[in-house]
Amino acid sequence: MRIVVLANDVVPGMGMPVAAPGLRAWGLAEGLRGLGHEVLLAVDAWAVGQAWRGAVPPPRPRGCVVLAPRQVSTLARTRGFDRLVITNSNHIDRIGDLGRCQLVYDFFAPKMLELAENVGRADQEAAMASLRERKLQALGRSSAIIVNGAKKLDYAREWAQLAGRAEVPMAVVNPGLPPLAPDPAPTDRLQIIVSGYLQPWSRPGAWVEAVLPLMDAGLVDLHLIVGEHWASRYDSARASDLIDRLATHPRAVRHGLLDFEDFRRLLSRCHVNVDVFERNPERELAMVTRSLVALSAGLPTMHVDFTEVSPWIAEHDAGWLVPEGDVTSVREILRSVAVDRSLLDAKRAGARSIAENITEPRVAAAPLDRLLRRGDETSA
């Protein structure tokens, strides 16, 4: 089957830091290719222009094109593509007649809940109305729906029903990320890492207060990769103040935003990924990509106990689940592994198990492959 996957953001291989939407589209493309499909990964040219600051165009990975979303429909018709997969509804207004090419809608993130947390936006009400209209329009055109994690299934079903498309085939398709063997640094101190873009729906939890005394005691080094995405419209002053308290500590290294491969190499050389944040409705349904990237690199992860990723960590013994405000638990767990590094062995094996059995791209894309092939048989 010939498939176009439309990415709303830059993807790995373009020499730039990536975010969750670009990783989602790239992972789908990699998985579908591995399952025998011909896949073109189309990256939004406007997003590339916002993210790239070079004097010449950025590199493009194999099977990737950069184009304006309005060009996608012409490309699909003239080159005989069978399916177009879109991540959320960002570009549905620009996608015209697809001919025989069928639209597949990816419920990647609960965008309405993200907007609801962005209380600083002056245009929030208008943005919510516009997003609702786009979402219903995209679902109304879709021949199939995929959902980024089982926890969002009810959310997706409600939207499909609102769009009058309750009968459209739907499948859970988890993120695809190639496994990377861990290579932890042989250091005296425990190497922990905290990463992610500052967003209004993802605010730091108990880890800030927990980590500082461990750094003071010389038990841990902190690698910090926290910044603002090019599309951010969030007043991040509060979060920035917390981050700055850590970044100025002599046991902290504040890295700039890295491209995907360099980021994963850094992850693979650390001992513990810390991803503890405050609870809200968006985070309840979130597929926390940054934690999955760490797990795909074999990195044990400390995580909250209420997301899509939480039960995977528990079932595979790939880290620790903590309440978002429990400073004592975060501190004591990190102290214990700082003193006895052998406690990480089983956790590292659990992270590899998630990487191989859940997020490996072909494994992750298998439900989409079945959905596409079933739809192809039905339409034949």
Side-chain angles (χ1 to χ4, degrees):
M1 189 175 294
R2 306 190 71 222
I3 302 165
V4 181
V5 178
L6 178 58
N8 300 335
D9 207 339
V10 298
V11 300
M14 299 186 76
M16 290 175 273
V18 297
L23 280 176
R24 170 62 166 181
W26 177 77
L28 290 173
E30 289 292 299
L32 290 170
R33 286 180 185 133
L35 293 169
H37 298 277
E38 179 185 340
V39 182
L40 181 68
L41 183 56
V43 181
D44 179 9
W46 182 82
V48 173
Q50 297 299 305
W52 180 250
R53 295 291 179 264
V56 297
R60 291 182 303 180
R62 179 184 59 84
C64 174
V65 296
V66 176
L67 46 69
R70 67 177 180 275
Q71 298 173 290
V72 170
S73 51
T74 301
L75 180 146
R77 290 195 315 274
T78 58
R79 291 180 53 180
F81 283 95
D82 303 295
R83 300 289 190 277
L84 167 64
V85 182
I86 62 170
T87 304
N88 291 323
S89 61
N90 296 38
H91 301 302
I92 193 62
D93 292 341
R94 302 175 185 89
I95 297 172
D97 178 19
L98 292 171
R100 70 174 188 84
C101 181
Q102 297 179 12
L103 187 70
V104 178
Y105 185 95
D106 176 20
F107 258 100
F108 164 64
K111 303 293 288 184
M112 295 292 286
L113 297 181
E114 288 182 358
L115 266 179
E117 291 294 324
N118 206 343
V119 293
R121 284 185 65 148
D123 65 340
Q124 187 185 49
E125 187 175 342
M128 294 276 279
S130 176
L131 176 57
R132 184 180 191 277
E133 182 179 342
R134 287 201 316 269
K135 191 183 293 285
L136 293 176
Q137 180 187 351
L139 289 168
R141 294 183 59 181
S142 298
S143 64
I145 297 169
I146 60 174
V147 187
N148 185 26
K151 201 171 184 184
K152 282 189 284 295
L153 264 175
D154 287 343
Y155 178 83
R157 286 176 180 140
E158 288 176 6
W159 277 102
Q161 189 168 17
L162 280 173
R165 303 307 306 278
E167 79 291 347
V168 172
M170 185 179 295
V172 173
V173 178
N174 293 319
L177 294 160
L180 178 68
D183 183 25
T187 57
D188 292 335
R189 289 179 296 277
L190 188 76
Q191 305 295 299
I192 66 174
I193 187 165
V194 175
S195 64
Y197 291 107
L198 297 172
Q199 301 283 12
W201 52 86
S202 184
R203 296 177 285 275
W207 66 269
V208 178
E209 299 300 332
V211 165
L212 278 169
L214 300 177
M215 296 166 70
D216 289 340
L219 291 174
V220 303
D221 289 339
L222 172 66
H223 297 269
L224 198 59
I225 308 180
V226 179
E228 292 196 21
H229 186 259
W230 59 263
S232 178
R233 300 183 63 182
Y234 170 46
D235 179 4
S236 56
R238 174 173 172 264
S240 296
D241 288 346
L242 294 172
I243 300 304
D244 287 344
R245 287 176 58 195
L246 294 164
T248 56
H249 197 284
R251 294 290 181 211
V253 179
R254 187 166 192 174
H255 302 265
L257 295 177
L258 303 173
D259 70 37
F260 182 63
E261 292 306 325
D262 288 341
F263 175 47
R264 290 225 302 169
R265 276 191 288 271
L266 175 60
L267 286 169
S268 74
R269 293 169 185 163
C270 290
H271 299 113
V272 177
N273 172 54
V274 178
D275 197 1
V276 179
F277 43 80
E278 294 179 8
R279 184 190 297 253
N280 61 52
E282 187 280 336
R283 292 284 89 184
E284 292 273 0
L285 294 185
M287 178 66 78
V288 187
T289 303
R290 62 191 182 219
S291 276
L292 290 181
V293 173
L295 290 163
S296 78
L299 185 58
T301 292
M302 179 178 289
H303 197 70
V304 289
D305 55 6
F306 54 78
T307 77
E308 185 84 50
V309 180
S310 308
W312 296 351
I313 292 173
E315 290 162 12
H316 293 259
D317 192 24
W320 308 263
L321 301 182
V322 297
E324 70 272 21
D326 191 342
V327 175
T328 300
S329 291
V330 175
R331 183 177 61 243
E332 293 312 309
I333 289 169
L334 292 175
R335 187 190 302 276
S336 67
V337 294
V339 172
D340 184 359
R341 207 74 57 82
S342 68
L343 296 175
L344 293 172
D345 293 342
K347 307 293 184 183
R348 194 173 291 124
R352 291 199 300 272
S353 178
I354 291 175
E356 293 166 2
N357 298 302
I358 298 179
T359 59
E360 195 282 326
R362 290 168 299 177
V363 174
L368 175 55
D369 172 63
R370 291 192 292 270
L371 193 67
L372 295 174
R373 294 185 191 278
R374 193 160 63 238
D376 203 37
E377 292 168 2
T378 303
S379 61

